[in-house]
Amino acid sequence: MSDGTLWFKAEDLDGLGRALFEAEGVPPGDAAIKSDCLVSANLRGVDSHGVARIPIYLKRLRSGLCKARPDIQVRRLTPVSALVDGDDGLGPVVSTRGMAECIAMAKQTGIGVVGIRRSTHFGMAAYYVLQALEADLVSFVFTNASRGMPAWGSIDPFLGTNPFAAGVPGGESGMPYLLDMATSVVARGKIRLAAQRGEAIPAGWALGPDGLPTTDGKEAMRGVVLPLAGYKGSGLAVLMDLLGGVMTGAAFAGLIRSAYNDWDAPQNTGHFFMCMRPDLFMPMAEFRMRMDVFVRRMKALRRTPDCAEILMPGEPETRKEAERRRTGIPLRPEPLAALAAEAEAGRITMPAGRAAPLG
Amino acid sequence: MSDGTLWFKAEDLDGLGRALFEAEGVPPGDAAIKSDCLVSANLRGVDSHGVARIPIYLKRLRSGLCKARPDIQVRRLTPVSALVDGDDGLGPVVSTRGMAECIAMAKQTGIGVVGIRRSTHFGMAAYYVLQALEADLVSFVFTNASRGMPAWGSIDPFLGTNPFAAGVPGGESGMPYLLDMATSVVARGKIRLAAQRGEAIPAGWALGPDGLPTTDGKEAMRGVVLPLAGYKGSGLAVLMDLLGGVMTGAAFAGLIRSAYNDWDAPQNTGHFFMCMRPDLFMPMAEFRMRMDVFVRRMKALRRTPDCAEILMPGEPETRKEAERRRTGIPLRPEPLAALAAEAEAGRITMPAGRAAPLG
């Protein structure tokens, strides 16, 4: 009773992604970053930000509104701040350059802040938090995004579903903190997937183009997704737009172009990264010990009947990645067909998928 | 048809607060900060963090668990980081010292981070964001707090309803951004007020001591308030505890003492402040112009039927303050009686209130 889903090895999808981006003129190193960012999202269960988006990124590259070979400028302004001009490059390529600079400053001075302008959709925010965690640094990763969500009190799309993402290195037990949450009730990508599948969405997720509540995924995609917790989610998304857009020099206030619908100009997405050493106030060993105490105490709490285990933010995604490295990454028929068409057009061998989980 | 509420001039309540704290041995300058922090909360409509809390703060001072004359140590560790040991002083006194240091660093280097340990309840987080805004700085103001909210999946109180607070200076129009939101569905102080008034609370706000949902304010005070938006609010509150507690050296993981219920040790509350110049990436005039564009564009959006005007985060509180500077601050009979009893015991003249709004 197959629904047409096929499972692929992560390495195979990664190879496909690299080949497709290289075929559009993206240098191999940059194509590897872009592909890794997408496959990493799939591995972590964030399929809305995974390889299913490859076709739209290729289309942006072909249009010239996203550049395969951008002239990315990284300018260190002070010992703690740097400005990146992404020159309309692929978001993960621009952002990985920016995060590397942010990490370097934090290592040197204890803290670093990077503003990024003229970027494009950077994919899963957690991808950059993971880079900071790899360097043993606390991080904030903020971005704005094309409008899809109203400011509180409004019915017009104005804010992106701007993610709030942050990380804190773990203790000796190796359990870090990683939060990557849309400031909307739900990630817009989930509504997009529902629309593609012709599925209904829960009430309270979105307004249709008429400003009235809807449970139709397609109507919701033409309307707006609602901010989480009313004015609170709206307030957080505004902050992401002020730091990621107003302050960096990128587009803001609903003027970030949609990668899907705007073909007259580059996106000019803005990002804001902050990295910080976790041992600013005590030796690293003491910090690590305290992180372990936190995790141990939290996991020992009494649970609700439907909760098998209390998890740290980021832990569900880490487990999903371990699982999908075994089972492979499932792809549904629609994105699969779009990827296969791209592969065929580029004379690239489509990797073999299996109708059941691997391993 | 009076319910016993009386209205007081802000200056009169401020004078009362100063006198009461001075009577407990708090130096005049520190008493002024503490009183101003509380009256400022009332003015902004955040009555849960206002002068109604004076009696519990006095009780903490008398117990010696909060010190009237702390030896607050501010240590600049690097050009961008400082550690504050609050020596169990009044939270607003400790935190105002910390924020001043944070502002000084940000002015000098572009950014500053302050960790604060051995503090006590610091009141309304917006109080410190306002200090940073006064200095034209972006800020994050984080704190942990005594346990009253479960981590997602748990029924035990573990996290505080740790506020997420941030500010961004405004443009020439003078409209800044100021978000100060509890990471719970609702501020715990609102449940406390409902409990004091014997009022019911909405479903979905809290679990009772048995771990089951309740709409009884008193039961909810014995139980836990729920995090906003499930794992998202829980994830934000965890971040506040990691940065405010784990990283600074303060108590954390449910071990911050309650100002109301724990009389065996100081609270050891922790705070984390970050200040940043908004003109890191462009001239200040350009930043201000862009902030104005943001506000203008947001306010021009189409509104839902029940929305008279789209407001910036912080704007409702600014308007409330303007209103209450005219009408005075309303105090209900219960907190009023407690304040009058404290005044009488200290031979301090209780200011005159009126049974109707002033002006």
Side-chain angles (χ1 to χ4, degrees), chain B:
Chain B
M1 221 182 63
S2 165
D3 65 353
T5 294
L6 295 184
W7 272 259
F8 294 84
K9 281 190 199 169
E11 310 84 78
D12 289 350
L13 290 182
D14 186 48
L16 174 65
R18 288 176 187 232
L20 287 169
F21 286 111
E22 286 183 33
E24 289 305 325
V26 178
D30 290 354
I33 290 170
K34 177 72 183 176
S35 187
D36 184 56
C37 177
L38 298 171
V39 173
S40 175
N42 286 120
L43 282 171
R44 294 172 64 82
V46 188
D47 293 325
S48 56
H49 288 63
V51 296
R53 293 213 191 197
I54 286 179
I56 190 68
Y57 293 126
L58 296 174
K59 196 172 168 191
R60 296 295 292 185
L61 286 167
R62 285 172 199 137
S63 74
L65 295 173
C66 179
K67 289 184 193 162
R69 294 177 173 275
D71 179 20
I72 301 169
Q73 299 289 330
V74 181
R75 203 147 47 94
R76 184 82 65 104
L77 302 176
T78 74
V80 292
S81 62
L83 177 62
V84 176
D85 184 322
D87 192 30
D88 305 320
L90 288 163
V93 174
V94 174
S95 299
T96 297
R97 288 282 298 279
M99 182 48 86
E101 186 73 4
C102 199
I103 289 169
M105 289 188 291
K107 289 278 183 191
Q108 285 165 15
T109 66
I111 193 160
V113 169
V114 171
I116 304 182
R117 55 174 75 158
R118 294 180 69 211
S119 185
T120 60
H121 189 259
F122 78 3
M124 171 183 69
Y127 190 66
Y128 314 102
V129 177
L130 286 166
Q131 293 173 0
L133 286 176
E134 186 66 30
D136 274 336
L137 295 172
V138 174
S139 66
F140 289 115
V141 170
F142 300 156
T143 187
N144 61 15
S146 61
R147 58 188 184 171
M149 189 168 85
W152 185 238
S154 168
I155 62 174
D156 287 323
F158 178 69
L159 301 164
T161 59
N162 306 341
F164 181 96
V168 180
E172 294 304 331
S173 70
M175 179 80 68
Y177 166 95
L178 198 174
L179 184 69
D180 177 2
M181 61 176 220
T183 46
S184 50
V185 172
V186 66
R188 197 143 188 266
K190 289 192 184 160
I191 295 179
R192 182 177 292 118
L193 277 181
Q196 286 167 355
R197 298 176 187 177
E199 292 172 3
I201 58 170
W205 277 19
L207 306 178
D210 52 3
L212 297 174
T214 183
T215 57
D216 181 301
K218 286 192 172 63
E219 285 293 288
M221 277 308 291
R222 296 176 52 224
V224 291
V225 61
L226 290 169
L228 73 87
Y231 82 90
K232 294 186 177 183
S234 176
L236 285 173
V238 168
L239 180 63
M240 310 296 103
D241 203 30
L242 299 184
L243 298 185
V246 171
M247 191 170 146
T248 64
F252 63 97
L255 296 172
I256 305 100
R257 309 286 176 142
S258 162
Y260 289 85
N261 304 323
D262 289 335
W263 298 95
D264 53 346
Q267 290 194 271
N268 196 9
T269 308
H271 318 307
F272 175 93
F273 299 163
M274 199 270 282
C275 283
M276 184 174 61
R277 293 178 57 128
D279 58 347
L280 287 179
F281 306 123
M282 66 184 65
M284 192 67 182
E286 190 181 343
F287 169 80
R288 288 201 189 283
M289 186 269 289
R290 290 164 68 90
M291 278 300 287
D292 280 337
V293 169
F294 183 92
V295 173
R296 199 162 57 237
R297 284 182 59 86
M298 192 178 75
K299 285 187 173 286
L301 298 172
R302 291 181 303 160
R303 302 184 305 276
T304 58
D306 58 343
C307 175
E309 184 183 350
I310 297 168
L311 301 177
M312 275 289 274
E315 200 175 357
E317 293 80 9
T318 302
R319 292 187 179 193
K320 179 61 80 175
E321 177 163 352
E323 174 197 320
R324 287 194 167 177
R325 287 207 181 274
R326 286 195 316 275
T327 64
I329 292 166
L331 287 180
R332 291 177 56 94
E334 302 81 356
L336 199 47
L339 283 173
E342 290 290 356
E344 190 177 350
R347 305 192 177 204
I348 292 161
T349 305
M350 187 70 190
R354 278 183 41 175
L358 313 175

